[in-house]
Amino acid sequence: HLLVVHRHRVLAGVLGAVPGSQLTGHPAHRLPNNASFVFEGCEADAILMHLDLAGVQAASGSACTTGMPTASHVLTAMGVPFELALSALRLSLGHQTTDADIDTVLALLPDIVQKIRALNPA
């Protein structure tokens, strides 16, 4: 299934290219179109702003908390620390998602996270 192939590419690409990134949820037992991460030393709103400016649509938190300015209760119930849950980024793939779309995210995200971390040293 192409969605699973794309999802695997996003998961491997983000985890391999962004130090301090962590997958939320099980690596395989998840929706075929879902890629969700947390990033140490970042806030999701800042990541979303940079992605949006580059034309990439994404969401923060879990699907049940989209648009809420707090950590996802789903992620914290899964054991993700509150501060880390504030950095949750969710990428949803669709049948229209192309390899070029994935290339764009994988090219942008490491630099975005690095820039945010540099502006907000812990």
Side-chain angles (χ1 to χ4, degrees):
H1 197 272
L2 186 58
L3 281 177
V4 174
V5 171
H6 281 325
R7 181 196 67 203
H8 178 73
R9 187 165 167 237
V10 170
L11 297 180
V14 170
L15 295 173
V18 183
S21 62
Q22 299 174 34
L23 180 66
T24 60
H26 193 277
H29 301 291
R30 61 189 313 121
L31 294 172
N33 67 326
N34 177 274
S36 177
F37 307 92
V38 290
F39 301 91
E40 295 173 7
C42 288
E43 287 190 10
D45 289 343
I47 298 171
L48 290 174
M49 179 190 68
H50 286 282
L51 287 173
D52 185 55
L53 290 171
V56 176
Q57 296 179 3
S60 61
S62 61
C64 56
T65 59
T66 298
M68 297 179 68
T70 187
S72 164
H73 68 278
V74 173
L75 294 177
T76 57
M78 290 170 47
V80 177
F82 182 84
E83 290 295 322
L84 192 54
L86 289 172
S87 72
L89 176 72
R90 185 168 37 87
L91 300 169
S92 296
L93 307 167
H95 293 289
Q96 301 83 11
T97 301
T98 65
D99 285 328
D101 295 332
I102 295 169
D103 291 342
T104 297
V105 170
L106 295 179
L108 291 169
L109 197 55
D111 292 337
I112 289 170
V113 170
Q114 182 179 15
K115 180 186 294 186
I116 294 167
R117 286 176 178 158
L119 293 172
N120 301 305

